[in-house]
Amino acid sequence: MLAWCCIVIMMCTISTGVLSPAPINAEVKETYDRHYWYAKAQETLQKRLQYASEKNPTYNIDAQTGESSACATALLCGVKARYETLGLDSGARFNNCASAINSKVTSLIDWAHEAGKSSGIVTTARITHATPAALYAHAPSRYWEDDSRVPPTVRRDCKDIALQLVENDPGKNINVIMGGGRRHFLPTVTSDPEHPNREGRRLDGRNLAEDWAREKKRRRLRAQYIHSKEQLAKLDPRTVDYVLGLFEYSHMEFNAERGVVLDTDENIGSSSTVKADDPSLADMTRTALSILSKNDKGFFLLLEGGRIDHAHHYNNPYRALDETLELETALLAALEKVNPAETLIVVTADHGHVMTFGGQATPRGHPILGADTVVSDIDGLRYTTLLYGTGPGHSEPRTLPLNGTSTTPADAVHAAAVPKQWATHGGEDVPIYALGPMATVLFAGVVEQSYIPHAIAYAACLAHQSHRCHENMLNLTKPEVKLPSCIQPEVSSVSADEARSESTSVRRVIVASSVMSDERLPRSSTTLSSPLKMSYYLIILMFHSIGYSTISVSIASNI
């Protein structure tokens, strides 16, 4: 309702300011007769029929079910990409260094830096992983996270992803970088600071974390490298402008494991015992926003609940949903530090998963992780409400839910129809949720994934969309129209039914990230009506909602 009020007020103001001084004109003949509307309908119908009949690219250019790095390239660079390539357009080929040379595309971070904004990436996955890397890296293989994975013959021409972050634009100019993945920054002869029995994976002998700190010192920038929860807690955002936080050897621990003693090595078994005490996504988000918000030109921030996707690949809905709640907590933390009236928050997914939520007469409120209330009418066996199409949960006869328990263990693997080591992604359409200025204008209906960053750029007048604000500022012949004070947070028509009503209460959003097994073997070859200064903070949250996978980003711009 508030949004409609704003539109009406603005229209009235414009009409009063522009039309009232003009002389009364003769009545113009009405042209909007039945023929006009029939013609408009026919035009729209032809466009839709043409779109439906065209051979459009699949979700990725060469794959009908989305893969994380190609999806991230679409979501963050605005260009559809090929399966398992990163930051490159369709000219690139998987594992082919030469094809990447002239196929590089820019991202939202490039566009934000061009406008003088700060930038940040916060994730619970490795910082060199598929989704975050799309913002700063260009690689014909998402698996080239360090030089040990790059073919020796092409290491001179194609840098690994970690090296690009430290040496190349825009990576070396990103203000806040927080996540996991120390192994790709440390050489093979260096022990991990938290896991002495593990060494880095770099073959070039470089410690990129130290190189990052030295480069910032050389440029006389206030920077700090940290690798623990305690160091993050002691960090003073007022005295630092650049932070590299690598909090785990590989991905950060699942929230269910934080603060407990484990006998695991990346959840696949090990003889070592580790203490999982990583900072939470919310902790990292608060610190990132405190640093980035110091820039009066605005900022861009990507937030990713990266481990939700991993749990779905394990057919482990307990951890997937728990990680979802953690991302929600981070979202609430972000909302406490920004003004929703000038903050565009976009929540969307890069791909789905093959988890299904079923039942026939299951009563409302029934435990989501438990068994359905009725047995199968074919074999008389019980089954869980949440099931997977593929993955490690397949067995013959199928695994049955535990009897007489009110809670489901965190390690429970739910049944899958088809046996696979890792559950696959899903190919269904995924939602876009938007809150804030221009939300209902830019995010409505069904859109291509690659549209999203262009819409964000339009809202913030970035890069190829900067002309929108410049044209408004230079056009001095139009009377200045005062913007109404009712620029309220909006929820787009593609979002859920209720919006945030109070600053402390926000609609629950189910969220996550995107990935396949990172250890798999490589394959062969409002437009503004006056030149007023406005701050727009744009946040995209990426996560998996129930079976979805998503991202999170935040941008701010002074227009």
Side-chain angles (χ1 to χ4, degrees):
M1 193 63 190
L2 289 173
W4 282 110
C5 289
C6 287
I7 292 174
V8 171
I9 292 171
M10 291 176 69
M11 291 293 286
C12 290
T13 305
I14 293 172
S15 298
T16 302
V18 178
L19 298 182
S20 55
I24 300 175
N25 296 324
E27 183 179 350
V28 179
K29 182 179 180 181
E30 179 61 69
T31 59
Y32 301 116
D33 58 14
R34 72 184 69 181
H35 301 292
Y36 171 86
W37 297 113
Y38 270 66
K40 292 293 290 183
Q42 183 65 19
E43 178 184 342
T44 303
L45 181 61
Q46 290 302 319
K47 286 181 179 179
R48 289 185 176 272
L49 290 172
Q50 179 183 2
Y51 179 82
S53 61
E54 287 176 351
K55 293 183 178 179
N56 294 307
T58 58
Y59 197 72
N60 299 151
I61 285 180
D62 54 353
Q64 66 183 14
T65 300
E67 174 275 327
S68 301
S69 60
C71 286
T73 300
L75 275 170
L76 301 175
C77 304
V79 173
K80 291 272 187 175
R82 293 187 182 276
Y83 191 82
E84 295 186 331
T85 64
L86 189 66
L88 304 170
D89 65 20
S90 61
R93 295 297 185 273
F94 178 76
N95 240 18
N96 186 321
C97 175
S99 71
I101 303 301
N102 296 317
S103 300
K104 299 174 182 177
V105 294
T106 56
S107 74
L108 278 166
I109 276 189
D110 290 288
W111 307 346
H113 287 178
E114 183 183 322
K117 303 182 191 306
S118 297
S119 63
I121 301 174
V122 174
T123 178
T124 53
R126 294 192 297 269
I127 197 65
T128 51
H129 211 248
T131 296
L135 282 168
Y136 62 83
H138 313 280
S141 171
R142 57 173 286 186
Y143 304 110
W144 292 4
E145 295 184 63
D146 61 61
D147 61 339
S148 70
R149 302 298 296 270
V150 182
T153 56
V154 299
R155 287 175 190 162
R156 281 179 173 269
D157 300 314
C158 282
K159 292 182 180 180
D160 61 84
I161 293 170
L163 190 58
Q164 290 186 53
L165 176 61
V166 173
E167 290 189 346
N168 291 12
D169 283 327
K172 67 180 182 181
N173 292 313
I174 298 174
N175 297 80
V176 177
I177 304 166
M178 294 186 189
R182 283 193 302 262
R183 70 188 192 187
H184 301 299
F185 291 77
L186 303 178
T188 55
V189 296
T190 301
S191 297
D192 185 82
E194 290 186 318
H195 309 282
N197 60 323
R198 306 179 196 170
E199 294 181 340
R201 295 192 173 184
R202 300 199 63 81
L203 300 179
D204 57 10
R206 296 180 60 177
N207 185 320
L208 293 187
E210 293 179 353
D211 289 352
W212 178 90
R214 277 194 293 268
E215 192 270 344
K216 298 297 179 291
K217 184 177 181 179
R218 185 165 56 250
R219 292 163 60 190
R220 298 174 183 260
L221 300 174
R222 302 189 301 174
Q224 188 171 344
Y225 165 63
I226 56 178
H227 60 77
S228 70
K229 178 180 179 180
E230 292 72 25
Q231 291 174 335
L232 178 66
K234 294 177 182 177
L235 189 71
D236 185 353
R238 297 170 298 180
T239 62
V240 66
D241 301 317
Y242 291 82
V243 173
L244 172 61
L246 300 176
F247 299 109
E248 261 301 339
Y249 178 76
S250 182
H251 299 301
M252 296 178 68
E253 294 291 348
F254 283 109
N255 176 63
E257 273 74 61
R258 286 197 302 116
V260 300
V261 176
L262 301 173
D263 290 314
T264 63
D265 181 0
E266 299 175 35
N267 304 323
I268 58 175
S270 170
S271 59
S272 64
T273 300
V274 299
K275 175 71 173 179
D277 198 21
D278 299 336
S280 68
L281 186 59
D283 291 338
M284 295 188 289
T285 298
R286 293 187 188 95
T287 300
L289 287 172
S290 295
I291 295 172
L292 297 177
S293 60
K294 293 185 297 183
N295 187 343
D296 58 7
K297 291 185 178 180
F299 64 89
F300 168 97
L301 174 65
L302 169 79
L303 304 177
E304 182 194 20
R307 303 238 61 191
I308 305 172
D309 170 84
H310 301 172
H312 279 309
H313 281 301
Y314 302 149
N315 286 20
N316 179 216
Y318 177 95
R319 283 187 176 82
L321 297 180
D322 185 57
E323 291 295 312
T324 289
L325 296 177
E326 281 301 295
L327 184 56
E328 181 194 41
T329 301
L331 172 57
L332 295 177
L335 287 172
E336 290 175 356
K337 299 185 76 69
V338 299
N339 182 355
E342 56 185 22
T343 304
L344 174 60
I345 301 172
V346 181
V347 180
T348 189
D350 54 350
H351 59 71
H353 271 276
V354 289
M355 188 185 78
T356 182
F357 175 12
Q360 190 66 36
T362 313
R364 294 191 66 181
H366 188 72
I368 190 65
L369 293 170
D372 201 353
T373 53
V374 296
V375 298
S376 167
D377 58 359
I378 300 297
D379 59 17
L381 299 178
R382 300 168 72 241
Y383 59 92
T384 54
T385 299
L386 300 180
L387 296 167
Y388 287 85
T390 64
H394 180 85
S395 65
E396 295 289 349
R398 68 171 177 273
T399 303
L400 300 180
L402 298 178
N403 269 318
T405 57
S406 57
T407 59
T408 301
D411 295 330
V413 174
H414 285 220
V418 176
K420 282 185 68 70
Q421 183 179 358
W422 302 93
T424 63
H425 291 170
E428 71 277 7
D429 287 349
V430 293
I432 306 173
Y433 304 93
L435 174 70
M438 300 192 76
T440 57
V441 175
L442 297 174
F443 299 97
V446 178
V447 299
E448 286 282 357
Q449 192 174 43
S450 52
Y451 159 84
I452 295 171
H454 296 285
I456 291 171
Y458 183 85
C461 293
L462 299 178
H464 51 292
Q465 299 293 352
S466 62
H467 62 84
R468 182 178 70 84
C469 291
H470 295 156
E471 289 172 356
N472 286 333
M473 294 179 70
L474 294 175
N475 189 353
L476 303 179
T477 60
K478 294 182 180 180
E480 182 171 310
V481 179
K482 184 177 180 181
L483 286 176
S485 59
C486 58
I487 301 180
Q488 297 294 332
E490 304 171 345
V491 177
S492 79
S493 58
V494 277
S495 69
D497 50 352
E498 76 275 8
R500 179 172 170 280
S501 58
E502 300 290 340
S503 61
T504 57
S505 67
V506 177
R507 169 177 52 79
R508 282 188 175 270
V509 190
I510 302 180
V511 285
S513 124
S514 61
V515 258
M516 285 284 290
S517 164
D518 54 279
E519 298 299 334
R520 58 171 285 188
L521 295 175
R523 294 188 288 123
S524 59
S525 328
T526 357
T527 21
L528 297 180
S529 54
S530 62
L532 301 178
K533 282 195 173 183
M534 282 257 166
S535 263
Y536 283 153
Y537 295 84
L538 311 171
I539 301 180
I540 299 178
L541 294 169
M542 178 171 219
F543 50 71
H544 294 280
S545 310
I546 293 284
Y548 301 130
S549 163
T550 356
I551 315 188
S552 82
V553 195
S554 140
I555 306 182
S557 74
N558 284 335
I559 299 172

